[in-house]
Amino acid sequence: MENLMFVCWCCKVLWAVVVAALGCGSSLPVREDALCAAEQLAQYRIIFTGKWSQSAFPKQYPLYRPPAQWSSLLGVTHSSDYSMWKKNEYASNGVRDFAEKGEAWALMKEIEEAGEKIQSVHGIFSAPAISSGTGQTSTELEAHPRHPLVSFVVRIVPSPDWFVGIDSLNLCEGDHWMDEVSVDLFPYDAGTDSGFTFSSPNFATIPQDTVTEITCSSPSHPANSFYYPKLKILPPIAQVTMVKIKKTQLGLSAPFINLPAKSNEIIDTVSETPLDCEVSQWSSWGLCRGLCRETGTKVRTRFVLLQPANNGMPCPHLDEETACEPENCV
């Protein structure tokens, strides 16, 4: 009898464990990409547009050695099990090499390894570099219902470790693929180099910092190339548009009409960003000049650190004089 009661007690405990496990399982969050019930595959044309112009970003705008430009675009379609980069998290070694030097090998290796180990990657795509701050580049990508997320990075050249990109944009909405999506892009700091300006020399961040968005007031340092304290928000430095490629009646992809060559330079429609003049601190007062026993004058000076642009505040006077009594008179 005692053995029978023990068996019954064990059965009740086991049943309670099973019920609890099922309850927990039903309350687990559903992965974002698991909701995609769209058609099998979708092809997109991805168009990256650089808007990094001297009128929109006049401060320390790189004109030579090298001039403002964009690296090649490197992206991936994937599931939520993979992350190329995330804001407020540490950049991988591959993202660090890409953001600092434009080297893609380590990042591609990380993507391939993620695809092999957890099958979280559907495909890699890339687009050519842009040799100026404004212009367009494009390529095609393929998304799968199990891999509907898109991530990519483009390096800002020149810069310490700055880039633009997208982290895990979902192209699927329930049972269908989005026809078109456009996103304004803003600069990010990979957190691996401590340079403040576009042309800063290499200065590794130790310990490494997380990926952070660069704004008009952060980093809060006047030397920063994106520091515009009078703005509420930076204008977009780039934009990306993804357009679903429609199938023809024969099942073939509709041809994509390339932009004419003359349209590669984009007309900047962003309002010009005013840049105020910046000057140094006053120097010490100079010697008092004048005749003995008469009022003389002495002068102090300052110099221009940053010339104004786009109707910004003009520079003030660079010298100032005041009355004084000459010293060492005989």
Side-chain angles (χ1 to χ4, degrees), residues 8 12 15 55-56 90 93 97 100 115 154 161-162 182 231 268:
C8 292
K12 290 180 180 179
W15 176 249
S55 60
Y90 292 104
N93 291 337
D97 289 352
E100 289 188 9
V154 184
D161 61 340
W162 302 340
S182 292
L231 295 182
D268 186 17

Side-chain angles (χ1 to χ4, degrees), residues 118-177:
I118 54 178
Q119 298 182 345
S120 58
V121 171
H122 180 70
I124 300 174
F125 57 90
S126 63
I130 304 174
S131 60
S132 62
T134 58
Q136 282 188 340
T137 187
S138 64
T139 188
E140 292 183 6
L141 63 87
E142 185 178 78
H144 187 278
R146 292 196 303 272
H147 305 88
L149 307 181
V150 174
S151 297
F152 71 83
V153 288
V154 184
R155 180 178 182 244
I156 298 174
V157 183
S159 74
D161 61 340
W162 302 340
F163 68 95
V164 298
I166 278 182
D167 167 36
S168 303
L169 175 67
N170 197 339
L171 295 176
C172 183
E173 288 185 327
D175 61 351
H176 67 279
W177 297 102

Side-chain angles (χ1 to χ4, degrees), residues 55-313:
S55 60
F57 299 92
K59 187 174 182 180
Q60 303 167 2
Y61 188 80
L63 296 174
Y64 58 91
R65 295 184 180 179
Q69 56 190 278
W70 300 95
S71 76
S72 58
L73 179 151
L74 181 60
V76 59
T77 52
H78 59 95
S79 69
S80 59
D81 295 323
Y82 172 77
S83 174
M84 174 182 276
W85 67 275
K86 279 189 178 299
K87 182 180 177 180
N88 298 328
E89 294 189 7
Y90 292 104
S92 66
N93 291 337
V95 171
R96 178 200 62 200
D97 289 352
F98 191 88
E100 289 188 9
K101 298 174 284 189
E103 296 176 358
W105 184 87
L107 182 53
M108 292 186 67
K109 190 70 174 176
E110 291 174 355
I111 296 172
E112 291 171 0
E113 289 177 353
E116 292 172 358
K117 289 181 179 179
I118 54 178
Q119 298 182 345
S120 58
V121 171
H122 180 70
I124 300 174
F125 57 90
S126 63
I130 304 174
S131 60
S132 62
T134 58
Q136 282 188 340
T137 187
S138 64
T139 188
E140 292 183 6
L141 63 87
E142 185 178 78
H144 187 278
R146 292 196 303 272
H147 305 88
L149 307 181
V150 174
S151 297
F152 71 83
V153 288
V154 184
R155 180 178 182 244
I156 298 174
V157 183
S159 74
D161 61 340
W162 302 340
F163 68 95
V164 298
I166 278 182
D167 167 36
S168 303
L169 175 67
N170 197 339
L171 295 176
C172 183
E173 288 185 327
D175 61 351
H176 67 279
W177 297 102
M178 289 191 288
D179 289 327
E180 181 174 339
V181 57
S182 292
V183 180
D184 288 333
L185 304 177
F186 299 89
Y188 281 88
D189 187 322
T192 60
D193 192 293
S194 297
F196 271 123
T197 66
F198 295 118
S199 57
S200 292
N202 291 333
F203 184 55
T205 302
I206 301 175
Q208 179 178 335
D209 203 352
T210 57
V211 175
T212 56
E213 183 177 354
I214 301 173
T215 70
C216 57
S217 58
S218 179
S220 182
H221 194 291
N224 189 272
S225 295
F226 288 111
Y227 186 70
Y228 296 94
K230 290 191 175 181
L231 295 182
K232 291 183 178 180
I233 187 174
L234 285 175
I237 196 171
Q239 184 183 65
V240 65
T241 300
M242 283 168 272
V243 182
K244 188 173 182 290
I245 300 175
K246 297 181 179 180
K247 302 289 185 179
T248 65
Q249 291 183 346
L250 297 177
L252 302 175
S253 298
F256 178 82
I257 302 176
N258 287 317
L259 294 171
K262 64 181 181 180
S263 297
N264 189 51
E265 288 296 322
I266 306 303
I267 299 175
D268 186 17
T269 58
V270 178
S271 58
E272 294 182 337
T273 301
L275 185 65
D276 296 340
C277 177
E278 293 182 11
V279 296
S280 67
Q281 298 293 323
W282 286 110
S283 67
S284 300
W285 287 103
L287 295 174
C288 185
R289 298 182 180 278
L291 299 175
C292 289
R293 292 179 294 278
E294 292 185 11
T295 302
T297 59
K298 59 182 178 180
V299 177
R300 64 178 182 175
T301 62
R302 55 187 174 183
F303 57 90
V304 175
L305 295 173
L306 186 66
Q307 293 287 352
N310 303 331
N311 297 317
M313 187 178 296

